[in-house]
Amino acid sequence: MAIVTDPAASTALISNDIVVFGLIAATLGLIFWLASGPTPFWKKVFAWVPALLLCYFIPAFYNTAGLIDGENSALYNPVASRVLLPAALVLLTLSIDLKGILKLGPRLLFVYCMATVGIVLGAIVSFQVMAWVWPSAVAGDTWKGMAALAGSWIGGGANMVAMREVYQVDATLFGQFAVVDVAIASMLLATWLFLANRSAQIDARSGADTSAIDDMKARISAYEAANARIPALTDLMVIIGVGFGIVGLAHAVAAPVAAWFADNVAAAPQFSLDSSFVWVVLLATAGGLGLSFTRARKLENAGASRVGTVCLYFLIASIGMQMDFTKLFDRPELILIGLIWMLVHVGVLWFSARLVKAPLFFMAVGSQGNVGAAASAPVVAAAFHPTLAPVGVLLGTVGYATGTVVAYWLGQLLRVMAGA
């Protein structure tokens, strides 16, 4: 792995990857410190501007201004995409409590699954509608960007980045869909937060059964009181060891598996099964899921998912480094695709909730468990009641496990629809 780029290959002011890494780390640290609201001014700023968007676009600005050269940097590949991404997948799926999710009741699981179905149908419907009314909007590699966006809206940022790598989405196209992601998802989040304050009236009017929510509040409060702890150095070292240990194992296994598929399965290239990176992503996710059934899941009490999220934000910043900011808004029609997509999602969700008389809380957390994942699903859940925030975490982390697989197959379907 080259740590210092060849100065002759770049005209950027900073060509040393170690310096670039330090710049990105300092930038992320500053963004999150300001997002914490050290002054009333910054509280207001970050009430409107998501920190995630700045983590993507500030490195993009560095690249566009010529301060750094993201395309010729080793920070993204192999460091971020081949190491930090699979580590994030391991640590974000490690905490899944399938038994706990089942105890939440079948109606919540049904609404959550139908929210996922709504995302899948939304992608298909929006692509077809735009193919009829605005063919150029879905021409070329648009389907690849939609597959990446599906990864985010079914799982989260790690799944979106995974799809970006699997389908080799152009950095600028990826950035354009990142704008769609933040814009549409932020509108949806604001809608759920607005409705949360009126949930009692809405549930009463719809005749929804809210008894399961009261049971969840009592159970979650007891679990938090029994398991919360301040992480020790040993906890953090074990988290790092588990996460990156599985990454190393995934890389060791992925190469021969991909080679076997390339030699023995004729359709392997069509489904990217001859790509070692695809297998790294799948094996890392499977490793995290497997550990969620063991005592290793208790590492979440010490902050396993937070360590995974740190990896994720470095990954997002390193992707932004490759983007040409000046080309970001070349395709505003992609916002229309996102709007149609999300309207279908909400429509399917509303119909499903009415079908089983589910309360508004199930709709909101089921939707954000997909679209916002563990980053915003707890926020929506807490808007209904603070003790319900872990419910959003549980559903959000399920999305990390399913997002890559579902988005991958949805991408294959979109590829067929695009005739690619």
Side-chain angles (χ1 to χ4, degrees):
M1 176 183 67
I3 297 298
V4 180
T5 56
D6 181 6
S10 173
T11 59
L13 181 63
I14 302 175
S15 59
N16 186 318
D17 278 346
I18 298 176
V19 179
V20 173
F21 178 82
L23 175 64
I24 295 301
T27 300
L28 292 177
L30 179 61
I31 290 172
F32 275 88
W33 179 71
L34 294 176
S36 68
T39 65
F41 170 78
W42 288 111
K43 286 184 179 180
K44 293 180 180 178
V45 169
F46 281 92
W48 292 96
V49 181
L52 173 62
L53 193 61
L54 292 181
C55 291
Y56 190 89
F57 285 124
I58 290 180
F61 173 77
Y62 293 159
N63 185 56
T64 304
L67 182 63
I68 62 175
D69 183 358
E71 292 185 3
N72 291 319
S73 173
L75 187 56
Y76 175 74
N77 185 11
V79 176
S81 64
R82 268 55 179 178
V83 179
L84 298 183
L85 169 59
L89 291 173
V90 172
L91 297 176
L92 291 171
T93 57
L94 179 70
S95 60
I96 293 177
D97 181 7
L98 295 180
K99 292 182 180 179
I101 293 174
L102 292 175
K103 289 180 180 179
L104 298 177
R107 288 186 304 157
L108 176 60
L109 294 177
F110 172 75
V111 172
Y112 173 81
C113 291
M114 290 307 296
T116 304
V117 171
I119 294 296
V120 173
L121 289 179
I124 297 170
V125 171
S126 61
F127 188 95
Q128 188 59 60
V129 168
M130 294 299 285
W132 288 334
V133 302
W134 198 339
S136 62
V138 292
D141 290 340
T142 300
W143 66 271
K144 293 183 178 181
M146 292 182 68
L149 183 57
S152 177
W153 283 358
I154 297 172
N159 305 88
M160 185 178 187
V161 175
M163 289 301 98
R164 193 260 185 184
E165 279 299 300
V166 168
Y167 288 115
Q168 293 297 297
V169 184
D170 175 76
T172 299
L173 179 62
F174 184 84
Q176 292 165 342
F177 271 100
V179 172
V180 177
D181 183 12
V182 172
I184 303 300
S186 295
M187 290 171 55
L188 182 66
L189 175 61
T191 301
W192 291 129
L193 293 176
F194 175 80
L195 294 176
N197 292 329
R198 295 155 181 81
S199 60
Q201 300 93 314
I202 295 173
D203 290 336
R205 191 178 301 118
S206 64
D209 179 10
T210 61
S211 60
I213 297 178
D214 295 330
D215 294 337
M216 280 188 278
K217 291 177 183 178
R219 185 167 61 249
I220 292 169
S221 296
Y223 179 83
E224 284 188 332
N227 292 277
R229 73 175 189 269
I230 298 175
L233 176 61
T234 299
D235 294 320
L236 295 176
M237 293 305 296
V238 170
I239 289 170
I240 293 295
V242 169
F244 290 102
I246 292 180
V247 170
L249 180 62
H251 276 278
V253 175
V257 170
W260 184 90
F261 271 89
D263 294 337
N264 297 279
V265 180
Q270 181 179 355
F271 297 100
S272 302
L273 296 178
D274 60 340
S275 168
S276 60
F277 179 78
V278 171
W279 286 105
V280 168
V281 170
L282 293 176
L283 291 171
T285 302
L289 280 173
L291 288 176
S292 72
F293 292 98
T294 70
R295 293 179 60 186
R297 186 170 62 84
K298 294 184 178 181
L299 289 173
E300 173 57 21
N301 299 328
S305 63
R306 292 182 182 179
V307 177
T309 303
V310 170
C311 296
L312 179 61
Y313 274 96
F314 268 98
L315 185 65
I316 291 169
S318 66
I319 292 175
M321 286 168 46
Q322 305 175 78
M323 188 177 63
D324 183 350
F325 195 79
T326 60
K327 298 179 180 178
L328 186 59
F329 299 104
D330 284 350
R331 300 183 62 187
E333 67 271 21
L334 297 183
I335 296 291
L336 182 57
I337 292 177
L339 285 171
I340 298 172
W341 192 338
M342 194 55 67
L343 285 173
V344 173
H345 163 71
V346 173
V348 171
L349 188 63
W350 177 84
F351 176 79
S352 303
R354 290 296 297 270
L355 187 65
V356 298
K357 294 185 177 180
L360 179 66
F361 170 72
F362 284 12
M363 289 182 59
V365 78
S367 175
Q368 285 301 125
N370 281 272
V371 179
S376 63
V379 176
V380 171
F384 287 83
H385 193 280
T387 61
L388 295 175
V391 178
V393 175
L394 290 174
L395 292 181
T397 50
V398 170
Y400 287 125
T402 60
T404 299
V405 176
V406 178
Y408 173 78
W409 290 109
L410 177 58
Q412 295 295 328
L413 178 58
L414 293 173
R415 171 188 279 178
V416 173
M417 294 178 67

